[in-house]
Amino acid sequence: MRKIKMLLVVFLLCMSSTYAAKVDTLQIASTAMSKTYKSAVVLPNSYSKSKTAFPVMYLLHGAYGHFGDWLKNTPNKKLVHNLSDQYNIIIVMPEGETFSFYLDSPVNTESQFETFITQEVIQKVDKTYKTIANKNGRVITGLSMGGHGALYLSAKHPDLFCAAGSMSGAVDMSTMLNRDSSAQVVKLMQPVFGDKSSSTEMYEQHAVLRMVDKIKANKLPLIIDCGVDDFLIEPNRELHRRLVYSKVDHDYTERPGAHTWEYWENSLPYHVLFFNKIFLKNQQVAKK
């Protein structure tokens, strides 16, 4: 009986290693910022055996975080690996620094993360891996600051993505100034907005909430969700109302939960399922 149990353990270990996605750490030089940043790239198990090109999902981290967050902070540490294998996609998690909001700073040449993601990360990934190097095989989503980033970048660069999403997105950045930690927020946003980091008007100028007309014109499929106990629920509800009023097609969901990794672990599979349907529609899903 003991031998049978040992053989079963060995078998399960072999099975888990055979069907495990691979994680690369890709160094990406930024000419715009004169720095080199890391990105985590998850390749499905089928990647090494296939000659076909793969669709790519860009997955952005939140404020106070870094590129490795999605791999180490979810309760299930294999969440991203499993989704990569299940849907046969490459998942790229680029660096966005702790408070860049994926913007090109108007005052600081060392904080140009819109340019970094749209002109440097995507190009490096497409040159390094077997990707579908056009918008029909590329999507973007993220949590909190990354939710803002995904909607913001896709709205400004609809030529790069065929769909976008947001989980607990900071779609109205001025909301941060209304919290107890507003002084800390102003300090952290100094590299982005400089002396105007306490200006509500500056935040609103770059808010996704004010980009509905552009989003409508682009006609990209969107998936947006937020937890009912999240401090960002009201801005997300307002974005949903504005999109409905403007007759912009989108998936919007509220679920139990707060601004937590437990919520985002539950949310991410819905986003990947949504994107996979679009890849299938575009006939861009890589064959295993």
Side-chain angles (χ1 to χ4, degrees):
M1 188 66 180
R2 187 176 179 182
K3 288 183 178 180
I4 293 175
K5 287 183 178 179
M6 288 293 292
L7 288 172
L8 181 60
V9 170
V10 171
F11 174 76
L12 291 174
L13 287 172
C14 289
M15 287 295 292
S16 63
S17 62
T18 300
Y19 297 99
K22 175 188 175 185
V23 181
D24 283 351
T25 300
L26 187 64
Q27 300 276 352
I28 302 179
S30 173
T31 301
M33 295 184 283
S34 301
K35 297 178 184 177
T36 297
Y37 286 105
K38 295 178 180 179
S39 290
V41 181
V42 176
L43 304 170
N45 178 65
S46 60
Y47 180 85
S48 62
K49 306 168 188 175
S50 176
K51 294 182 180 179
T52 61
F54 286 70
V56 183
M57 179 178 74
Y58 286 85
L59 182 58
L60 307 182
H61 66 78
Y64 305 101
H66 292 286
F67 75 98
D69 283 8
W70 275 103
L71 296 177
K72 65 183 182 182
N73 290 339
T74 52
N76 175 9
K77 299 300 184 282
K78 292 296 182 181
L79 173 67
V80 178
H81 306 66
N82 294 340
L83 290 171
S84 176
D85 275 342
Q86 181 180 353
Y87 292 98
N88 213 33
I89 62 172
I90 296 172
I91 300 177
V92 179
M93 292 152 281
E95 179 62 57
E97 283 291 7
T98 56
F99 247 72
S100 74
F101 275 83
Y102 302 95
L103 306 173
D104 277 352
S105 167
V107 299
N108 183 4
T109 58
E110 294 185 355
S111 185
Q112 303 290 302
F113 280 89
E114 176 183 344
T115 295
F116 179 58
I117 300 295
T118 61
Q119 296 184 26
E120 298 174 328
V121 174
I122 290 175
Q123 284 77 353
K124 178 67 173 180
V125 169
D126 286 344
K127 287 181 181 179
T128 306
Y129 301 101
K130 300 190 295 279
T131 66
I132 298 168
N134 61 66
K135 67 172 291 180
N136 289 329
R138 190 185 299 124
V139 296
I140 187 169
T141 190
L143 69 88
S144 194
M145 178 181 83
H148 159 87
L151 296 179
Y152 181 85
L153 295 175
S154 63
K156 294 191 68 177
H157 303 274
D159 56 311
L160 294 179
F161 308 100
C162 64
S166 170
M167 294 166 264
S168 311
V171 296
D172 182 359
M173 293 185 294
S174 64
T175 301
M176 298 185 300
L177 297 178
N178 299 326
R179 306 194 76 204
D180 294 338
S181 59
S182 61
Q184 183 184 13
V185 170
V186 170
K187 181 179 179 180
L188 288 168
M189 289 298 287
Q190 285 284 330
V192 182
F193 293 141
D195 294 340
K196 296 184 179 180
S197 294
S198 59
S199 168
T200 300
E201 182 180 353
M202 179 60 72
Y203 287 80
E204 291 179 348
Q205 286 177 6
H206 294 84
V208 170
L209 205 57
R210 275 71 180 176
M211 302 176 76
V212 171
D213 288 345
K214 188 178 290 291
I215 291 171
K216 181 177 181 178
N218 295 338
K219 298 181 180 179
L220 291 185
L222 300 177
I223 178 169
I224 300 167
D225 64 78
C226 192
V228 294
D229 297 317
D230 197 306
F231 75 97
L232 293 174
I233 186 63
E234 289 305 326
N236 277 272
R237 286 172 174 166
E238 179 60 23
L239 175 61
H240 171 55
R241 285 191 288 265
R242 294 187 185 193
L243 292 173
V244 170
Y245 180 81
S246 298
K247 298 181 180 179
V248 177
D249 288 339
H250 64 290
D251 274 26
Y252 177 77
T253 305
E254 293 182 9
R255 300 189 189 93
H259 212 71
T260 66
W261 280 102
E262 287 77 13
Y263 177 85
W264 301 319
E265 175 172 290
N266 182 54
S267 177
L268 182 59
Y270 291 98
H271 283 238
V272 184
L273 175 62
F274 178 86
F275 295 142
N276 186 63
K277 291 178 180 178
I278 294 166
F279 288 144
L280 285 170
K281 184 178 179 181
N282 292 343
Q283 296 182 336
Q284 297 285 9
V285 174
K287 296 180 180 179
K288 293 186 178 180

